[in-house]
Amino acid sequence: MNDQYSVLPVAKAMQVFAYVASQAHDVTLTEVVQALDMPKTTVFRYLQTLSAAGLFAHDIVQDRYGVGERFRELARIDTLYHSLRSTAQREMDDLADGFRETINLAVLDDHEVVYVDIREATRSQRFQARIGHRHPIHSTSLGKAMAAFMPDDRLDAIVGAQFEPRTYRTVTDLRTFRRHVEETRKRGFAIESGENEDGVTCIGVPIFNGQGIPIAAMSLSAPDNRMKSMVERAAEALQGAARRVTTSLPQVSVAL
């Protein structure tokens, strides 16, 4: 990275963060100051700010700092998502080879679906989604597949009463969305037809963590005319792939 784009206070805060996180024991303010040769007041402010963010934990009685629960949670999420992409890779390749259609892998971040891996169809048509793109929960089979198997309180926390339309077929009211969620729960997979992108039908299935909570989803996308003849076959293949990914994931608890 070019130094002209660096923000010096952030760079120094990251030095403090890296030092504390790399120690095998909690550290004092004085230890950090001596190790990094920074002004005491500056280090104190960084330690307090990182503690307020949950990245550090401050033992007030001992006046020592160590990694906080938010840091541990982010580390668990990183481990889980790295394993998710690695484990799903072969399954996505097999699905893409077998169906010659687009295969998507996504996770839920706040109120949106985030694409973390994609296998493009070997045919000419390309779809809108790209790795890193964010799409709504309510308009995607990926989102509906995860929503259908969430605890009710979690679902209530992430959905509103009205939804932004992506196409003329997008579900825009809570009652209809909840009906779709219930249908998805009963059959085990979600179907989205032209709700996120005109002329495209997607089938989505959830991937679970060790506590039975959906932490990701996998989908197959195809033009409407091609999907008509393979819905059941694609759903069965996706469900099998998702089960294998689920059983191969590390059994860690992550609050999403």
Side-chain angles (χ1 to χ4, degrees), residues 47-62:
L47 289 170
Q48 288 293 307
T49 300
L50 290 164
S51 297
L55 295 172
F56 286 170
H58 182 205
D59 183 335
I60 299 176
V61 176
Q62 300 293 327

Side-chain angles (χ1 to χ4, degrees), residues 13-228:
M14 291 309 299
Q15 283 184 271
V16 173
F17 176 81
Y19 176 78
V20 176
S22 65
Q23 301 307 300
H25 56 84
D26 291 354
V27 297
T28 64
L29 169 62
T30 301
E31 287 179 69
V32 183
V33 169
Q34 293 175 347
L36 301 180
D37 192 24
M38 288 184 186
K40 187 174 183 178
T41 301
T42 300
V43 172
F44 176 76
R45 288 174 177 170
Y46 290 151
L47 289 170
Q48 288 293 307
T49 300
L50 290 164
S51 297
L55 295 172
F56 286 170
H58 182 205
D59 183 335
I60 299 176
V61 176
Q62 300 293 327
D63 199 16
R64 288 180 173 270
Y65 297 86
V67 295
E69 186 53 39
R70 180 58 180 161
F71 173 85
R72 299 182 193 280
E73 188 69 21
L74 290 171
R76 286 194 291 267
I77 290 172
D78 179 70
T79 298
L80 182 61
Y81 286 173
H82 177 77
S83 179
L84 170 66
R85 290 188 293 268
S86 177
T87 304
Q89 181 176 349
R90 180 174 178 178
E91 298 293 345
M92 295 179 71
D93 289 341
D94 288 345
L95 288 166
D97 290 344
F99 288 90
R100 297 176 59 210
E101 303 292 356
T102 298
I103 310 299
N104 308 289
L105 180 68
V107 297
L108 195 62
D109 182 31
D110 196 12
H111 298 183
E112 297 175 302
V113 165
V114 182
Y115 294 81
V116 296
D117 207 355
I118 296 175
R119 296 293 182 276
E120 296 284 358
T122 56
R123 312 186 194 204
S124 58
Q125 182 165 350
R126 290 172 61 87
F127 303 131
Q128 293 177 3
R130 296 289 180 269
I131 294 174
H133 279 193
R134 292 171 172 266
H135 286 175
I137 294 173
H138 66 273
S139 66
T140 59
S141 67
L142 293 160
K144 291 178 184 180
M146 287 186 275
F149 296 93
M150 291 180 181
D152 288 340
D153 58 344
R154 171 64 174 145
L155 182 58
D156 290 341
I158 64 175
V159 298
Q162 295 291 325
F163 306 111
E164 178 186 355
R166 296 270 298 178
T167 72
Y168 77 96
R169 300 180 71 174
T170 303
V171 171
T172 56
D173 66 279
L174 181 59
R175 180 175 296 181
T176 304
F177 175 73
R178 286 195 173 277
R179 189 179 75 245
H180 284 202
V181 165
E182 182 60 31
E183 291 169 352
T184 296
R185 186 180 295 121
K186 288 179 180 178
R187 65 172 169 251
F189 61 91
I191 299 178
E192 170 264 305
S193 184
E195 297 169 46
N196 197 59
E197 185 173 350
D198 288 324
V200 179
T201 296
C202 299
I203 298 174
V205 295
I207 294 170
F208 300 94
N209 67 6
Q211 290 71 48
I213 303 298
I215 50 89
M218 189 182 298
S219 72
L220 183 151
S221 301
D224 294 340
N225 62 326
R226 294 209 298 260
M227 184 66 84
K228 289 179 181 178

